[in-house]
Amino acid sequence: MWRVRQRYCRLLHAARIIQMYWRWHNCHTSGVFQGSFKETEKSGKAVAIQAWWRGTLVRRTLLHAALRASVVQRWWRRAQARQLEERRRAALEAYTRQRWAAVRLQSCAQMWRVRQRYCRLLHAARIIQMYWRWHNCHTSGVFQGRYELAANRLGLELEIFLGSQICRITNCIPFPIKN
């Protein structure tokens, strides 16, 4: 508005200069030099031209002001639309983060429950394996050994496995010699 007023003042100043020139021109060409201004046909045309010019300037100034106002309004609407879009995007991102966190929490809880079930089953399988190993070892033992037969003796090495216990027997048995 300050620039519009400044422009209006410049145009008003130019119009006053034109008026002074026409008044001076009319006074010097008509030969009348008195204390009052005498309006002639030429000065009436000049006043009409000046009025037209002032009206044109005012209309032009108002048109420029209206155009500037519409530019500012369009800019403001775009800024408002941009802010609305940013708010929508922020709301969508917040919603997405909340949903993602809920899904992640649910999946972590489900994985924890699955792991607990797996650990229980693993523990049960180990107990069953330990029972069967103990049962098998105590009900059936394993014998391993080797022997060495010589002319006058028998050498034995026996290993007996009963569960976690190992028994080793090493013995050399001599044969009686008969003639």
Side-chain angles (χ1 to χ4, degrees):
M1 286 306 292
W2 179 76
R3 283 194 281 160
V4 170
R5 175 152 172 68
Q6 209 174 22
R7 187 174 185 142
Y8 171 75
C9 289
R10 275 191 245 129
L11 294 174
L12 184 64
H13 180 67
R16 286 184 180 155
I17 289 175
I18 292 171
Q19 282 178 342
M20 282 180 21
Y21 171 76
W22 279 101
R23 286 183 187 153
W24 179 83
H25 188 291
N26 283 337
C27 289
H28 285 296
T29 55
S30 63
V32 178
F33 190 76
Q34 295 178 355
S36 65
F37 176 70
K38 183 179 178 185
E39 189 173 320
T40 61
E41 187 180 319
K42 286 183 180 178
S43 67
K45 289 181 182 178
V47 169
I49 290 172
Q50 290 170 1
W52 172 82
W53 181 248
R54 273 193 303 256
T56 302
L57 291 178
V58 168
R59 279 191 299 277
R60 187 184 307 158
T61 304
L62 290 174
L63 177 66
H64 285 297
L67 288 174
R68 288 181 184 135
S70 70
V71 167
V72 169
Q73 286 174 347
R74 272 188 260 132
W75 171 81
W76 181 249
R77 285 184 193 129
R78 272 192 243 127
Q80 292 263 325
R82 195 177 321 117
Q83 286 178 350
L84 179 64
E85 184 64 29
E86 287 173 3
R87 275 187 262 133
R88 283 181 182 166
R89 185 177 295 122
L92 181 63
E93 287 175 0
Y95 175 77
T96 305
R97 276 193 302 268
Q98 288 174 353
R99 287 295 173 187
W100 180 81
V103 167
R104 182 137 173 120
L105 185 63
Q106 288 171 354
S107 67
C108 285
Q110 188 175 6
M111 287 301 294
W112 179 71
R113 281 184 279 156
V114 167
R115 179 161 170 72
Q116 266 189 335
R117 188 175 297 157
Y118 169 76
C119 288
R120 278 191 220 120
L121 290 174
L122 184 64
H123 183 68
R126 285 182 179 159
I127 288 174
I128 291 169
Q129 282 177 349
M130 278 183 7
Y131 172 75
W132 279 104
R133 283 182 189 153
W134 180 83
H135 182 71
N136 285 338
C137 288
H138 286 293
T139 57
S140 62
V142 177
F143 287 95
Q144 281 184 342
R146 63 185 185 92
Y147 64 93
E148 184 180 328
L149 187 59
N152 58 359
R153 67 183 167 92
L154 175 65
L156 287 175
E157 286 183 21
L158 292 175
E159 292 180 350
I160 302 170
F161 297 100
L162 290 173
S164 61
Q165 297 174 355
I166 300 174
C167 181
R168 286 196 177 119
I169 300 173
T170 306
N171 203 351
C172 186
I173 303 171
F175 290 129
I177 301 176
K178 292 184 180 180
N179 290 341

